[in-house]
Amino acid sequence: GAVVSQHPSWVICKSGTSVKIECRSLDFQATTMFWYRQFPKQSLMLMATSNEGSKATYEQGVEKDKFLINHASLTLSTLTVTSAHPEDSSFYICSAGPGVGAGASVAGYTFGSGTRLTVV
Amino acid sequence: GENVEQHPSTLSVQEGDSAVIKCTYSDSASNYFPWYKQELGKRPQLIIDIRSNVGEKKDQRIAVTLNKTAKHFSLHITETQPEDSAVYFCAASRSEMRFGAGTRLTVKP
């Protein structure tokens, strides 16, 4: 079935540094990738939608210069948290879909395993 | 854009009882309604979904109903078990998927 590999699964970084999170669709082509953020005991909030080869569409209130999204290929999307601060500490998770290819999920959306970011 | 509301925020039931979680959505163009179960620190796991051309879907102890006219859909879990305890999220999607606030279900043995 459809698999999205997300790395790293957890990262601790110093305030002011940048962190890159990768999501790869392993057996299908993800034309669209969604990035979510989840604070403790809260729901998944959509941050941005990216389509391969074009600029990401950011949700209201999400700083595009702080959260850089690159979707350069049909199997890889990256989220870079620039100049991270403690308030950026959260669980970041990607979702690919709908996909195309033999491995694409019937359901259309496949989540990565998530990245827990802690900024100290 | 789409707005999804979910109720209740917490639900506690006795083992063997049924649990019902309800969601409403605002975008009449939404056509895909999945339900996810999320355990602490893990990714959401799809447990059941329904598309807008169907009114009800069942998978063993889990069922989902959809009322397109009223723009609401519900998750029904029968014969609950302690391992059903988790946070459940509904979502609505046309292209991007938006989630409800979540329901923390506790099944007491």
Side-chain angles (χ1 to χ4, degrees):
Chain A
V3 176
V4 172
S5 174
Q6 183 171 346
H7 294 280
S9 56
W10 62 270
V11 58
I12 301 173
C13 71
K14 290 185 177 180
S15 186
T17 61
S18 296
V19 173
K20 180 184 283 189
I21 302 169
E22 290 189 352
C23 276
R24 293 180 184 271
S25 53
L26 298 186
D27 51 358
F28 68 105
Q29 294 178 328
T31 51
T32 306
M33 191 74 80
F34 304 97
W35 287 93
Y36 293 86
R37 178 168 55 183
Q38 185 177 33
F39 291 109
K41 297 186 178 181
Q42 293 188 23
S43 187
L44 290 88
M45 300 303 297
L46 181 65
M47 298 175 67
T49 302
S50 72
N51 292 292
E52 183 267 337
S54 62
K55 289 184 178 180
T57 302
Y58 289 81
E59 294 298 299
Q60 193 171 10
V62 178
E63 300 173 59
K64 61 181 180 181
D65 294 331
K66 180 172 182 62
F67 299 99
L68 303 179
I69 291 173
N70 185 286
H71 194 166
S73 77
L74 286 171
T75 59
L76 174 64
S77 178
T78 61
L79 167 68
T80 301
V81 183
T82 63
S83 188
H85 292 285
E87 56 264 32
D88 298 322
S89 299
S90 187
F91 187 64
Y92 292 85
I93 191 164
C94 63
S95 172
V100 295
S105 168
V106 173
Y109 299 89
T110 304
F111 282 92
S113 54
T115 298
R116 184 157 304 282
L117 170 64
T118 302
V119 185
V120 297
Chain B
E2 176 65 273
N3 181 45
V4 180
E5 294 193 357
Q6 181 172 348
H7 300 279
S9 57
T10 60
L11 179 60
S12 182
V13 299
Q14 206 67 39
E15 182 177 1
D17 288 349
S18 295
V20 180
I21 303 171
K22 299 182 179 182
C23 286
T24 61
Y25 61 99
S26 61
D27 187 353
S28 56
S30 289
N31 55 15
Y32 176 62
F33 307 92
W35 286 89
Y36 290 88
K37 176 182 181 182
Q38 188 180 29
E39 296 178 354
L40 190 64
K42 297 186 178 180
R43 82 183 89 187
Q45 296 286 345
L46 179 68
I47 57 170
I48 195 167
D49 57 10
I50 192 167
R51 296 192 181 272
S52 58
N53 58 347
V54 176
E56 185 174 355
K57 184 176 178 180
K58 188 174 182 180
D59 182 4
Q60 299 183 346
R61 298 186 297 109
I62 296 173
V64 57
T65 59
L66 171 65
N67 184 325
K68 283 178 57 181
T69 303
K71 289 188 281 189
H72 66 69
F73 55 113
S74 301
L75 175 71
H76 304 253
I77 306 175
T78 59
E79 300 171 31
T80 54
Q81 302 166 1
E83 50 266 37
D84 294 330
S85 297
V87 179
Y88 290 80
F89 292 100
C90 63
S93 171
R94 177 176 46 158
S95 55
E96 70 275 4
M97 189 182 300
R98 297 187 187 272
F99 289 81
T103 297
R104 180 171 299 279
L105 173 64
T106 302
V107 181
K108 295 179 286 187

